[in-house]
Structure formats: C-alpha cells, structure tokens
DNA sequence: GAGGTTAGTGACAGCCACTGACAATTGACA
DNA sequence: TGTCAATTGTCAGTGGCTGTCACTAACCTC
C-alpha cells in the first residue's frame, strides 16, 4: 500500500538532492547574481559532486526555469479548460489571470513562492536568462496557437489568425512582465493589475489616432 | 586628401581581417551548424590566432548578428523618418517593408545579401541563437516604443500604448519571421508578402468571433 | 538474510568558449 | 631610419558541460 505514497528510499533521496540543488542554486543566484555563481559553489552548498548537478539539471539555466515550466503547463491547461464560446483573446486573458492567482498552490510544493517570484527579477536583469525566457515563451505561444486553432476549428498553417492573436497577446504579456519584473512590487496583486491594464490598452493602441482620443488613452495609464 | 578615401594600411588590414573572420564564421556556421563550429576552425580558415577572433567579435554570436545590427538601426531610422501624421502602426508597417526592400544596399557592403538572409534560417533552427535574436528584438522594440511615444507626445512610462502597440507589432513580426525563416523561400519578396498578410490579419484576429466571419478571415490565409 | 543486480554517485580527464597578461611584431610618423 | 603605438600571437587559466569508469548503496530474489 505504500508504493504510491512512499516512492522508496532511493527515490526519496533523489528528490531531496534535486530540491536541495534547486534551492541552493536559486538562493545563490539571487544573492550573488546568476553569472557570478559557479556550479561548484552550488554543489559545495549541497555537498555533492559537480557531476551530480548536471545529472539533475541540464545546466544552470534549467534550474532557474524549473518552476517556470510548471507554471507554463498550468497556463496551457487553463487555456484548454476555457469555455469554447469565449472569444480567443478573452480565453487567454482569463487563463493568465487564473494562472497568476493560483501560482501559490502550483509552486509551493517545490519551493517557496517568494523564491519563484524573485526569479523573474533575476531573469529580467540577466540578459542571458532573459533571452532564454523569451525563447521559452515563444515555445509556449506556439503550443497555445495550436490550442486556439483547434478551439476555433482552424488550420494553424493556413489561417494566420491563431498565431497572430497569440503573438499579440504574448507581446503584451512580455511588456507587462518586464514592467513588473523590473519594478519593486513583485506581488501577485501587482502583476494582476498590470496585466489587466495592459490588455485593456490593446484596442486604444491599435486606434488610428492617439492624440485626439485623450480620454480613452489616458484612462489606461499605468502606475 | 586620402585619409577619408583610404584609411591607411593598418586600418585596411584590420577591415580585411574583420571581413574575412565574419565570412568564414558565417560560411562554417551555415555548412556545419553553429554549435558544431569551433572558434579555432574559424580562425584556422583565416589563419589568425584564436585570440584575434575575440578581439574583433565578442563571441560567435556577435558574428551571427553583425549584419542584423545594421539592419536594425536602419529600421529604427526608418521609423524616425516616417511622417508624423501617420498612425503609429502604419508607420511601423511602412518602416519594416521599407527596411526589407532596401536590405540589399544596406548589407551588400559587408557580406553578400544571400549570406545575410541565410542567417535567419540558422537563427530559427538554433535555439541558442533564436533566444538571443528574441532578446535583441526586445531591445529594438524598447527603442521603437520610445520613438513612437515621442512622435505622439506621450510619456512611455505612464501611457502603456506605445509599448503595447510596439509589442503587438513586434509579436506579429516574430511570427512572420519564423514562418519565413523556417520555410524554403528566403527571398525578400517572400518576407514582404508574409509581412503584409500577417499585419492584415491583426484586426480579424482581435475580433470577438472568428467562426462566423469566415469571409474576412479566410481572405487573410497564407501559403 | 545472503547474494546478485542495478541505479546513482564521485573522481578524473577532456572539450570548448572566453579572458587576462605579456612579449613580439608591424604600420605610422617624425 | 629610429621611435612610438597599435595589433597580434602565445600562454595560462576559468568555468560550463560531457564521457567514462569504478564504486557504493538501494533493491530484488531466493
């Protein structure tokens, strides 16, 4: 009866090492900076060999983005779960907001949410990580585009709308994240607020004239 | 009188090495792949020391993106040169199309345009390069957002519209580039056509309902 | 519970991108 | 032509990452 609840000593030991490495890595990255932290320092903190680190994580980057992968697949699932009568962009909007609000339960099993949220600041301030983050986002967007296309009964290779819609949405999310990640308030409430205000700014931003409709645009101001 | 036209032997020698390194690097990257090409191979082809390569280029990546930097600043200049009565998105649209059409004169002084265009395929097919490409694009977008904000007399830090508009535009351009770069036809005509069709798909993609307006959406189909 | 099997680890050697330091070389210029 | 300064080659070293191999400890069977 305990094979399901207790996965065996070997497996538990592995899990402990994986967790310890992740935590040590993130804490070192956040205190000393990503590039100034060597793998040797991480493994020294956990007291395993350098080789062991690379058996658990493909590299330093994978450690940084470990929890992000979890969050990303939750987001994709959330999009899939949206009612089919919702407009595509509305479904995406609800899915991200839902994802952010549920980030606690999603991440806390692995590391303190605080640590996860702080990785965004690390990513935004480290060019190499930021680049990887964008690439990973692009991969998620490709997946989302396929989901949207399926929802709408379209072929993602002949109709540009699914990818375009997702790209528009993703572009706005990047701006939002960046503003949030480079700011001081890394609370979930803050990202929630910024997400809403930026998504609401899409239609005004696409308007022909910006200068005359001051009321509409100014109302979407941020900060 | 010849300081301007003939920059001296030393300078010419440097330029020759810089060009030779760039060409050798790109040709090796394109034939063997980016990661399978070592810096030693590049410098061996040009017959200089490895150290010399790093004096001209900060790393392998910088060589790949050398011409892209030129193209990017031409694009930014083109946006700046657009008439101020043009709507922001229209100005961006015209500037990119203009940029692509003039890519020949812009790049040919450095390397054959053919080589430059092929680097897009390399970038799209090499995750590390793709990531860097996205980061660089994000930097350009930030610059463009400031230009747009200035054009419209807005503060980029309080009004979200400049960054949002540029992010929307940039998102669509990424999708376009990716489709083009992973396809077979890497002609300027092809990217021009894809750019137009994708930008035209933005409004339909933002529509509430996709299923009913089949005529509008299907007309924007690609390929 | 002894003994074989196998997964996981440490130790070591090595590749490659990249950097700093210093000496050798070679245009530039008087 | 000799001096100065810019460029280059050489060398040594760091750090991320990988392959290999022997060893240990968990697991499994009888």
């Amino acid at each position: 009866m305990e094979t399901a609840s207790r996965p065996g000593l070997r497996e538990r030991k592995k899990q402990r090492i994986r967790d310890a490495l992740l935590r040590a890595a993130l804490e070192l990255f956040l205190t000393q900076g990503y590039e100034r932290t060597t793998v040797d320092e991480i493994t020294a903190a956990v007291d395993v060999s350098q080789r062991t680190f690379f058996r658990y994580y493909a590299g330093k980057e994978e450690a940084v983005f470990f929890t992000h992968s979890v969050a990303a697949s939750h987001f994709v699932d959330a999009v899939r779960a949206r009612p089919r009568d919702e407009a595509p962009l509305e479904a995406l909007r609800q899915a991200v907001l839902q994802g952010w609000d549920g980030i606690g339960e999603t991440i806390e099993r692995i590391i303190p949410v605080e640590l996860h949220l702080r990785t965004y600041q690390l990513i935004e301030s480290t060019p190499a990580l930021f680049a990887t983050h964008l690439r990973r986002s692009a991969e998620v967007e490709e997946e989302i585009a396929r989901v949207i296309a399926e929802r709408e009964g379209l072929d993602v290779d002949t109709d540009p709308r699914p990818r375009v819609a997702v790209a528009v949405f993703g572009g706005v999310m990047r701006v939002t994240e960046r503003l949030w990640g480079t700011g001081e308030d890394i609370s979930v409430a803050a990202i929630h607020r910024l997400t809403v205000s930026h998504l609401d700014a899409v239609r005004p931003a696409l308007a022909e004239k910006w200068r005359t409709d001051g009321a509409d645009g100014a109302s979407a101001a941020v900060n």
Side-chain angles (χ1 to χ4, degrees), chain A residues 170-209:
Chain A
V172 177
M173 291 315 301
R174 266 187 310 162
V175 171
T176 308
E177 271 183 1
R178 185 148 190 86
L179 206 61
W180 175 67
T182 54
E184 278 129 49
D185 184 2
I186 54 160
S187 67
V188 172
I191 182 71
H192 197 294
R193 186 165 40 80
L194 282 175
T195 301
V196 169
S197 68
H198 278 82
L199 285 176
D200 286 344
V202 170
R203 292 195 172 277
L206 293 177
E208 297 293 321
K209 299 185 179 185

Side-chain angles (χ1 to χ4, degrees), chain A residues 11-165:
Chain A
E11 204 58 38
R12 272 180 286 146
K13 216 168 183 178
K14 267 171 65 179
Q15 194 57 47
R16 229 179 300 141
I17 294 180
R18 186 193 303 283
D19 278 11
L21 282 172
L22 183 58
R23 228 173 266 229
L26 293 182
E27 262 152 26
L28 285 167
F29 292 160
L30 289 168
T31 51
Q32 324 182 334
Y34 175 73
E35 277 156 351
R36 274 187 301 277
T37 302
T38 67
V39 176
D40 281 334
E41 287 176 297
I42 299 167
T43 54
V46 182
D47 200 47
V48 294
S49 74
Q50 193 211 46
R51 196 68 185 83
T52 295
F53 176 87
F54 289 107
R55 289 202 176 96
Y56 284 95
Y57 301 98
K60 294 202 291 177
E61 280 195 353
E62 196 173 290
V64 174
F65 291 104
F66 190 79
T67 53
H68 289 248
S69 297
V70 177
S73 50
H74 268 253
F75 169 57
V76 176
D77 290 347
V79 176
R80 283 212 179 85
R82 283 272 107 198
R84 296 181 89 83
D85 62 324
E86 231 172 16
L89 282 182
E90 183 58 23
L92 294 176
R93 179 195 186 111
Q94 296 304 328
V96 259
L97 291 177
Q98 207 171 301
W100 279 118
D101 292 339
I103 197 77
E105 296 91 278
T106 311
I107 301 297
E108 194 77 46
R109 303 170 188 212
I110 310 168
I111 52 165
V113 194
E114 165 81 9
L115 217 51
H116 170 69
L117 295 179
R118 284 205 182 287
T119 60
Y120 283 91
Q121 295 182 318
L122 185 70
I123 290 164
E124 299 291 342
S125 62
T126 310
L129 291 179
F130 185 53
T132 298
H133 176 61
L134 294 177
R135 198 201 64 211
R136 292 171 50 90
S137 303
E139 282 163 12
V140 174
E141 282 177 32
E142 173 62 21
E143 202 178 341
I144 296 289
R146 292 179 186 281
V147 172
I148 294 293
E150 200 192 322
R151 261 171 72 102
E152 303 293 321
L154 301 171
D155 181 0
V156 79
D157 292 318
T158 51
D159 194 317
R161 288 178 298 169
R163 282 208 182 95
V164 167

